[in-house]
Amino acid sequence: MKFGFDIDDTLINLREHAFHLYNKKLVKEVGIEVFRALKTVEIHEAFGLTAEQGSHMWSSSLDDIYFTDCPVFEFALETLQQLEADGHEIYFITSRPKQYCERTREWMKEKGFPVKDEQFYCGMQDNEKIDTIKSLQLDYYFDDKPAVLLTIQDVHTKTVVINQSYNQDVNLPRLFSWSDFKSFIK
């Protein structure tokens, strides 16, 4: 089978990692419960930042956010390693900016993800991401972002939403923990 995976907030806990970095950089102690209650992908509101300030904070922090000690979700790495061992095709499809693609691919390999260069797609807008998902004719695709999940239509790909506070309105099969992955495969 062919499996596609987003990276950020699907395989790795990027937003929560960024939240902790923001607390340090801004010398604040905003509680994790505030993060878990956010209804948006963006995290700046939790720190009292405007959209413009939040955009600047995110952009100026990307090296730290992307390439420091961002944790992998429990069982995500093992799940993908087992898929590869079982002979399945694994595609990584991320909207990370183009200037971070090579470093992201290498970072993923260093973490142990079964990345093949020809099956790693990066540096695209959401609509391009959707076109890539469709053209690959994936059996399954896993993502967290409503803007992507809700526009994958008219394809045979089974789409699964990775549970996040900001995607509760998405009415698709939902993965709460990577330990439950096998229940989605039929």
Side-chain angles (χ1 to χ4, degrees), residues 30-52:
V30 179
I32 194 67
E33 71 281 355
V34 174
F35 169 78
R36 292 189 178 130
L38 288 172
K39 299 295 182 204
T40 61
V41 173
E42 297 80 14
I43 64 173
H44 64 270
E45 289 179 9
F47 296 93
L49 301 174
T50 65
E52 184 178 330

Side-chain angles (χ1 to χ4, degrees), residues 16-33:
E16 186 172 331
H17 175 62
F19 182 83
H20 293 302
L21 289 172
Y22 277 32
N23 262 328
K24 287 179 189 170
K25 286 184 174 209
L26 297 170
V27 192
K28 295 203 174 202
E29 293 183 22
V30 179
I32 194 67
E33 71 281 355

